[in-house]
């Protein structure tokens, strides 16, 4: 997820671009850059770091021109650096591009372009687009852009300037958002509405598979390589704060609704066939994978809950012992990590102090380290032997949602990969799971449709004082994550239990008025869980049941309220079942009047012990 801004009109472009990028900095903040048309040439300024550094550079070396594009980056390929910052240019500097998204086949395209004499200056997938356009440019920029898009495979938004066609900006949307803002004698382009609100309220949303040619008089839109599209502008009535949140009341809710896209981007390019997984950044050879004797899963908080799911996935699919450990405990217990061990360190930010320290401890004892992180170039990612990036995009709310789902999918990909490398996962089973992974973004969108039902439940239980989350098998770590979300922002006492442990003490706390959320997505333990539900109902608890549509018929008669997510393979069900729990925590917190995005006493990245 990156921020894109463009302008063509009569004003000086740079102030408009920088203002728009400031309003989009929540979409990415590891580097930034601008390109401005100046006579018959394009001038570029870019730098790693926050937008303020770019502003200082532009102030010291001003750019003059009324046509320009700008970008604030959240890295997916290539660590944050001046060279990897956008915009990127072709060999002659006559064609300049900015890009939000992922080009899946960029390595193959780059190898071909290099073989034909193109010179690359960065490690990004984006630069491939500039050279592809250069390669076929014959005086018609939209046509050359269309040809480049036909060769590139992925999900992206692309914006292009060409020094030979100084009166236009060409943009293409393939999944990643693009919005055109309309004015009198001037037109804007952005990846999100907040950047446009100081200038116009009249916007046109570019749809997937469309190209927009933007001039001072507006935008002409067409299907890529096809017919023209006629679309009336819409009038934006949101205020600036609401627009930054995409019209949602809080960033947390926005990020919950962004989860289908986060899943899609985490999977992008990693399922090239029907039976195997391709993990960019993971160089573990098959012989090394076969020699592994143990996997450690090191993490804190929500990432630790992802690790608990990862244990089941690794043991089931890769047939290798896996031990999740709280990073804050691992380093102090003289762990028996060794040379035939893999230490998987999981952190959204890649800067969690305890997780970094635990990974260092494992490596010092001879283990190979693999980071699962969301931030390219973070400390954890730099220090690990292998890195699997989650591509969830910036997460603003303290309460993690989309980063957690992306971690679950990353762990599933890793388990599949190791299972195939070790020769213990059959092709048919791998193919079934890969089909399930590909279906997850659509199923996640369907799970979000439960929100209206969840709001009804939240309104009924908003004054509750005690909530217990129970589950068995893979439902237990999801219960732990649901309980954490609930207490994190609602400030209500909440506990998670392996359901079979109720009778070993906690039943003493189950009294009339207590809420029990029972997860039942795992068919092999469903009968056992129903018995546990009967135990709490006999003591007056109200039970909210969470199932898949496959397990719902068996669960429904035993609960007071039933929520059912779409069917999924039991190993993948945790990706979907947590979504209603996130929504429940959010809406109870909202109804209680709490600060959802910044809960008391908590910080987004815990960079101290």
């Amino acid at each position: 997820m990156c921020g894109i801004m463009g302008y063509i009109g009569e004003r000086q472009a740079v102030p408009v671009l920088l203002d728009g990028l400031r309003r989009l900095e929540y979409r990415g903040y590891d580097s930034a850059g601008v390109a401005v048309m100046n006579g018959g040439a394009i001038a570029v300024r870019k730098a790693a770091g926050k937008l303020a550094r770019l502003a200082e550079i532009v102030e010291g070396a001003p750019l003059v021109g009324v046509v320009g594009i700008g970008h604030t980056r959240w890295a997916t390929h290539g660590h944050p650096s001046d060279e990897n910052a956008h915009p990127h240019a072709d060999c002659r500097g006559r064609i300049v591009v900015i890009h939000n998204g992922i080009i899946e086949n960029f390595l193959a395209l780059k190898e071909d372009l290099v073989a034909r004499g193109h010179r690359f200056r960065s490690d990004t997938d984006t630069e491939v687009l500039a050279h592809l356009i250069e390669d076929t440019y014959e005086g018609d920029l939209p046509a050359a852009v269309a040809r480049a898009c036909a060769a590139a495979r992925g999900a992206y938004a692309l914006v292009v300037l060409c020094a030979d066609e100084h009166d236009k900006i060409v943009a293409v949307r393939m999944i990643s958002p693009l919005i055109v803002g309309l004015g009198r004698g001037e037109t804007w382009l952005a990846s999100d509405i907040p950047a446009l609100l100081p200038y116009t309220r009249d916007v046109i949303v570019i749809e997937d598979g469309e190209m927009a040619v933007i001039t001072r008089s507006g935008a002409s839109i067409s299907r890529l390589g096809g017919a023209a599209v006629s679309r009336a502008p819409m009038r934006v009535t949101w205020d600036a704060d609401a627009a930054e949140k995409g019209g949602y009341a809080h960033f947390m809710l926005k990020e919950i609704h962004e989860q289908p896209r986060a899943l899609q981007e985490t999977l992008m390019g990693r399922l090239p066939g029907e039976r195997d997984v391709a993990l960019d950044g993971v160089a573990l050879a098959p012989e090394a994978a076969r020699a592994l004797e143990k996997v450690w899963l090191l993490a804190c908080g929500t990432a630790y809950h992802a690790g608990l799911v990862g244990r089941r996935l690794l043991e089931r699919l890769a047939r290798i012992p896996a031990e999740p450990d709280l990073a804050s405990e691992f380093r102090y217990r003289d762990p028996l990590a060794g040379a035939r061990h893999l230490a998987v360190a999981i952190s959204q930010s890649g800067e969690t102090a305890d997780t970094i320290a635990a990974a260092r401890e494992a490596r010092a004892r001879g283990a190979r380290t693999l980071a699962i992180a969301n931030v390219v170039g973070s400390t954890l990612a730099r220090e690990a032997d292998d890195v699997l990036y989650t591509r969830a995009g910036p997460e603003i709310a303290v309460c993690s949602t989309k980063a957690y789902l992306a971690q679950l999918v990353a762990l599933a990909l890793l388990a599949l990969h190791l299972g195939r490398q070790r020769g213990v996962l059959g092709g048919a089973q791998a193919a079934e799971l890969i089909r399930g992974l590909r279906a997850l973004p659509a199923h996640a969108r369907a799970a979000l449709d439960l929100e209206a039902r969840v709001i009804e439940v939240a309104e009924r239980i908003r004054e509750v004082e005690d909530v217990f989350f129970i589950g068995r098998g893979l439902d237990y770590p999801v219960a732990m994550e649901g309980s954490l979300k609930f207490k994190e922002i609602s400030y209500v006492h909440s506990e998670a239990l392996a359901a079979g442990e109720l009778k070993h003490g906690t039943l003493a706390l189950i009294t009339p008025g207590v809420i029990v959320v029972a997860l039942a997505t795992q068919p092999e333990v469903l009968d056992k869980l129903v018995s546990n539900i009967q135990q709490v109902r006999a003591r007056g608890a109200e039970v909210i049941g969470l199932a898949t549509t496959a397990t719902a018929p068996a669960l429904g008669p035993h609960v007071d309220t039933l929520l059912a997510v779409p069917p999924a393979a039991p190993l993948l069900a945790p990706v979907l079942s947590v979504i209603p729990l996130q929504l429940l925590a959010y809406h109870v917190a909202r109804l209680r009047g709490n600060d959802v995005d910044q809960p008391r006493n908590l910080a987004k990245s815990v960079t101290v012990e």
Side-chain angles (χ1 to χ4, degrees):
M1 182 187 291
C2 305
I4 285 172
M5 186 70 185
Y7 175 74
I8 181 168
E10 300 301 327
R11 315 179 196 216
Q12 285 299 307
V14 167
V16 176
L17 298 176
L18 291 179
D19 179 61
L21 293 179
R22 286 188 191 96
R23 299 171 193 277
L24 295 172
E25 199 169 10
Y26 66 92
R27 295 181 63 88
Y29 38 77
D30 59 43
S31 59
V34 292
V36 174
M37 199 82 72
N38 187 356
I42 301 173
V44 174
R45 305 283 188 272
K46 58 182 183 174
K50 297 291 183 73
L51 188 60
R53 181 162 180 247
L54 175 65
E56 290 174 1
I57 291 171
V58 171
E59 185 176 350
L63 295 174
V64 177
V66 296
V67 181
I69 57 177
H71 188 270
T72 181
R73 182 175 186 241
W74 181 266
T76 55
H77 289 84
H79 66 281
S81 66
D82 291 354
E83 294 78 13
N84 289 335
H86 297 214
H88 291 286
D90 68 339
C91 296
R92 300 182 302 143
R94 303 290 290 174
I95 294 168
V96 170
V97 304
I98 56 177
H99 161 240
N100 174 14
I102 297 164
I103 306 302
E104 295 182 43
N105 59 335
F106 87 99
L107 280 175
L109 293 171
K110 183 175 181 177
E111 289 171 0
D112 180 63
L113 288 162
V114 168
R116 290 190 283 115
H118 288 265
R119 302 182 307 279
F120 283 75
R121 301 175 181 86
S122 78
D123 302 319
T124 70
D125 54 339
T126 300
E127 191 179 354
V128 164
L129 296 167
H131 293 282
L132 280 174
I133 296 167
E134 175 191 24
D135 206 49
T136 63
Y137 180 69
E138 298 174 346
D140 185 338
L141 183 61
V145 171
R147 285 191 288 269
C149 290
R153 187 174 68 248
Y156 54 87
L158 171 65
V159 182
V160 189
L161 286 182
C162 178
D164 297 326
E165 300 183 44
H166 57 82
D167 58 347
K168 64 172 68 77
I169 301 170
V170 176
V172 173
R173 170 175 173 169
M174 296 292 288
I175 298 178
S176 295
L178 276 177
I179 296 110
V180 172
L182 304 175
R184 293 187 176 182
E186 55 186 350
T187 309
W188 299 263
L189 176 73
S191 53
D192 213 345
I193 288 172
L196 305 179
L197 291 185
Y199 308 104
T200 182
R201 297 273 173 165
D202 297 316
V203 303
I204 298 174
V205 177
I206 309 303
E207 300 292 351
D208 289 344
E210 292 181 349
M211 173 186 289
V213 178
I214 297 153
T215 65
R216 290 172 177 80
S217 58
S220 59
I221 303 170
S222 62
R223 298 295 299 173
L224 265 176
V229 173
S230 178
R231 183 172 300 127
M234 65 179 235
R235 184 80 176 170
V236 177
T237 57
W238 305 333
D239 61 24
D241 184 60
E244 186 172 297
K245 298 181 179 74
Y248 295 100
H250 298 93
F251 277 110
M252 181 182 172
L253 186 61
K254 177 176 182 282
E255 288 159 8
I256 289 172
H257 281 266
E258 287 175 344
Q259 289 180 129
R261 182 182 170 196
L263 294 173
Q264 183 175 26
E265 297 210 355
T266 298
L267 292 167
M268 189 77 64
R270 291 167 171 168
L271 301 174
E274 297 304 315
R275 299 188 174 194
D276 291 298
V277 173
L279 297 185
D280 47 311
V282 178
L284 189 68
E287 57 272 19
R290 288 191 291 269
L292 286 176
E293 296 176 352
K294 184 173 184 176
V295 176
W296 297 87
L297 296 148
L298 309 175
C300 303
T302 285
Y304 173 68
H305 298 156
L308 292 171
V309 175
R311 170 175 57 190
R312 303 287 182 118
L313 294 168
L314 286 160
E315 292 185 346
R316 188 78 63 87
L317 300 179
R319 306 307 297 167
I320 182 169
E323 183 174 349
D325 206 346
L326 290 165
S328 57
E329 294 292 325
F330 177 84
R331 58 188 295 212
Y332 296 114
R333 69 176 185 89
D334 194 18
L336 300 177
R340 293 197 171 194
H341 293 186
L342 176 67
V344 179
I346 311 167
S347 168
Q348 186 279 138
S349 66
E351 302 294 347
T352 307
D354 285 322
T355 306
I356 292 168
R360 288 170 177 166
E361 181 69 21
R363 191 172 194 181
R365 292 169 181 264
R368 185 185 183 103
T369 56
L370 185 152
I372 293 179
N374 193 37
V375 180
V376 173
S378 57
T379 301
L380 191 63
R382 291 196 309 272
E383 294 188 5
D385 298 303
D386 304 282
V387 186
L388 181 51
Y389 286 116
T390 52
R391 303 175 183 165
E395 196 173 59
I396 307 301
V398 167
C399 199
S400 180
T401 53
K402 63 179 181 175
Y404 171 71
L405 253 68
Q407 288 165 355
L408 294 180
V409 167
L411 286 162
L413 290 168
L414 178 63
L416 269 165
H417 181 61
L418 290 177
R420 295 295 283 163
Q421 282 191 312
R422 290 165 61 82
V424 296
L425 182 64
Q429 187 182 5
E432 181 181 358
L433 285 165
I434 285 171
R435 286 193 295 272
L437 284 167
R438 287 181 172 139
L440 283 177
H443 286 337
R445 280 190 287 273
L448 289 167
D449 291 339
L450 287 170
E451 187 166 14
R453 291 281 316 284
V454 171
I455 291 172
E456 293 174 3
V457 175
E459 288 172 340
R460 192 175 71 250
I461 71 169
R462 60 190 294 182
E463 301 300 332
V464 70
E465 296 181 358
D466 298 284
V467 180
F468 293 89
F469 291 75
I470 63 173
R472 285 176 174 263
L474 275 170
D475 284 330
Y476 174 40
V478 180
M480 294 175 71
E481 175 62 11
S483 176
L484 177 62
K485 287 290 149 299
F486 202 85
K487 70 180 74 173
E488 204 171 5
I489 56 174
S490 72
Y491 313 149
V492 172
H493 168 252
S494 173
E495 291 185 33
L497 292 160
E501 292 299 297
L502 279 166
K503 58 184 176 291
H504 296 292
T506 306
L507 272 178
L509 299 177
I510 305 298
T511 58
V514 167
I515 301 295
V516 174
V517 180
L519 284 80
T521 71
Q522 304 297 304
E524 71 274 14
V525 290
L526 183 56
D527 290 343
K528 298 290 187 183
L529 184 79
V530 167
S531 295
N532 301 133
I533 291 172
Q534 297 298 344
Q535 292 169 359
V536 298
R537 290 191 79 185
R539 288 154 178 85
E542 177 184 339
V543 179
I544 300 166
L546 178 56
T548 68
T549 52
T551 57
L555 181 68
H558 306 285
V559 299
D560 299 290
T561 303
L562 178 64
L563 301 170
V565 298
L571 288 175
L572 301 179
V575 179
L576 303 178
S577 60
V578 76
I579 294 174
L581 303 184
Q582 296 168 341
L583 289 168
L584 182 64
Y586 169 80
H587 285 292
V588 169
R590 173 185 61 81
L591 290 165
R592 292 169 71 94
N594 296 345
D595 187 341
V596 173
D597 285 336
Q598 295 182 320
R600 68 189 183 201
N601 303 332
L602 300 177
K604 182 62 182 171
S605 296
V606 184
T607 56
V608 296
E609 290 189 48

